[in-house]
């Protein structure tokens, strides 16, 4: 399968709840179910990497109560889902500036990220307090520090090497980026890693994003021609060779 990495901006929980005259948190709770089904679909299709945007560095400016509920939901989901995810072959990792979370939540994320399934099927990266610009600046700082410590030199810096300093490390670039909820924006999610991603903007609100809709997007992705700067004729010649 040429689809090695899917990234998703899970948008629309708040509107989904408001449509039902319920508090926004109700939408986030429903969103967790969609996270579960999305993971299952990835495992079923043999997609080895999934990165989910769960909380952006800008989300702290939401009403305090909503932020607090999201933190509780996040903690509860880690406690509740981790054992089952391990059984399914899912390895969880967290990307973002984790220092801003409570000690308890930081500890939990560390604990969960140390667990490895026996039969690895999916690397699940959960982006929390994450911003694409932060990721690039953080990588630049770490690279500069390695230069100062004599571990590397400026002349050795290549795109591949720089990639290793980013939060997803040497994992594959994003092939398919999906945003639910109808907005056509990247919202400071992965910036470097989506350089050649196919992008799908989906009107469905995240809690309604079911396995059928997700599988349809995967099928549409397979029909897109990815040229990486080459011509259509070149791609056909390479396929025929
Ligand atoms: C965006 O919808 C969604 C979020 C900011 C939170 C996403 C969190 C979850 C799906 C649940 C927890 C996740 C994990 C991985 C356990 P929005 O609130 O911006 O919706 P709106 O645009 O309709 O207001």
């Amino acid at each position: 399968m040429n689809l090695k990495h899917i990234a998703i901006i899970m948008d629309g929980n708040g509107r989904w709840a408001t449509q039902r005259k319920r508090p926004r948190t109700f939408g986030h709770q429903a969103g967790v179910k969609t996270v579960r089904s999305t993971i299952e679909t990835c495992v079923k299709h043999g997609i080895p990497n999934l990165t989910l945007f769960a909380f952006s560095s800008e989300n702290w400016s939401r009403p305090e109560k909503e932020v607090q509920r999201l933190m509780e939901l996040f903690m509860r989901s880690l406690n509740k889902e981790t054992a089952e995810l391990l059984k399914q072959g899912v390895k969880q990792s967290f990307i973002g500036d984790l220092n801003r979370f409570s000690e308890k939540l930081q500890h939990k994320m560390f604990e969960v990220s140390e667990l490895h399934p026996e039969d690895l099927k999916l690397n699940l990266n959960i982006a929390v307090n994450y911003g694409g610009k932060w990721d690039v600046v953080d990588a630049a700082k770490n690279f500069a520090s390695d230069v100062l410590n004599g571990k590397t030199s400026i002349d050795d810096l290549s795109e591949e090497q720089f990639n290793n300093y980013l939060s997803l490390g040497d994992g594959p670039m994003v092939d398919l980026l999906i945003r639910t909820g109808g907005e056509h924006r990247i919202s400071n999610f992965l910036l470097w890693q989506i350089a050649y991603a196919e992008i799908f903007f989906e009107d469905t609100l995240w809690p309604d994003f079911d396995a059928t809709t997700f599988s349809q997007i995967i099928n549409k992705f397979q029909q897109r021609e990815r040229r990486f700067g080459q011509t259509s004729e070149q791609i056909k010649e390479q396929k025929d060779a």
Side-chain angles (χ1 to χ4, degrees):
M1 165 88 99
N2 58 353
L3 183 42
K4 298 216 170 345
H5 189 176
I6 298 181
I8 307 183
I9 302 173
M10 313 180 284
D11 197 16
N13 293 346
R15 277 166 286 161
W16 186 88
T18 306
Q19 282 171 4
R20 285 158 182 78
K21 302 193 171 36
R22 302 293 296 267
R24 296 174 55 84
T25 317
F26 183 66
H28 297 315
Q29 272 165 8
V32 175
K33 281 194 199 141
T34 308
V35 169
R36 221 177 283 140
S37 86
T38 302
I39 293 170
E40 277 164 19
T41 304
C42 284
V43 172
K44 198 176 106 194
H45 284 272
I47 291 149
N49 298 281
L50 171 67
T51 303
L52 299 176
F53 204 8
F55 194 83
S56 76
S57 32
E58 291 79 24
N59 284 150
W60 293 105
S61 57
R62 292 194 169 198
E64 207 181 312
K65 205 166 167 195
E66 182 177 345
V67 172
Q68 195 193 332
R69 287 279 155 79
L70 267 169
M71 296 301 136
E72 286 163 11
L73 185 63
F74 192 36
M75 186 73 169
R76 212 180 322 136
S77 302
L78 293 178
N79 280 325
K80 220 174 112 195
E81 312 283 347
T82 297
E84 182 55 34
L85 288 176
L86 274 177
K87 259 195 233 161
Q88 290 173 11
V90 180
K91 158 87 185 77
Q92 297 181 78
S93 304
F94 302 88
I95 59 165
D97 187 357
L98 307 184
N99 294 317
R100 193 155 168 196
F101 295 102
S102 70
E103 293 264 314
K104 215 170 141 193
L105 194 48
Q106 282 186 53
H107 180 75
K108 189 77 209 168
M109 287 190 273
F110 176 73
E111 201 181 83
V112 168
S113 60
E114 290 289 291
L115 301 170
H116 295 263
E118 267 175 37
D119 179 17
L120 177 66
K121 298 238 169 75
L122 174 71
N123 287 304
L124 170 65
N125 308 301
I126 303 173
V128 281
N129 192 24
Y130 178 87
K133 290 202 277 187
W134 165 84
D135 200 355
V136 175
V137 170
D138 194 57
K141 281 186 188 166
N142 289 328
F143 171 71
S145 160
D146 277 359
V147 171
L148 290 176
N149 293 328
K151 286 190 194 156
T152 187
S153 76
I154 292 177
D155 291 338
D156 285 340
L157 187 63
S158 62
E159 290 180 9
E160 284 74 29
Q161 205 206 353
F162 191 71
N163 207 32
N164 292 334
Y165 286 93
L166 289 160
S167 55
L168 287 175
D170 58 359
M173 298 287 269
V174 174
D175 299 302
L176 166 60
L177 172 71
I178 301 169
R179 180 179 186 135
T180 62
E183 311 280 8
H184 294 194
R185 286 193 283 276
I186 303 299
S187 296
N188 198 18
F189 192 27
L190 307 163
L191 296 176
W192 172 286
Q193 299 89 339
I194 61 164
Y196 263 104
E198 295 293 323
I199 304 183
F200 283 77
F201 294 108
E202 173 66 40
D203 286 337
T204 314
L205 303 175
W206 178 249
D208 289 331
F209 185 74
D210 58 13
T212 310
T213 316
F214 188 24
S215 296
Q216 278 165 356
I217 293 181
I218 294 174
N219 289 338
K220 279 191 211 153
F221 167 89
Q222 305 290 9
Q223 283 150 31
R224 283 202 186 173
E225 182 182 67
R226 304 185 76 199
R227 294 199 290 274
F228 298 100
Q230 292 185 302
T231 65
S232 202
E233 288 71 26
Q234 285 175 305
I235 302 292
K236 281 195 190 88
E237 275 168 27
Q238 282 159 18
K239 268 193 192 154
D240 295 343

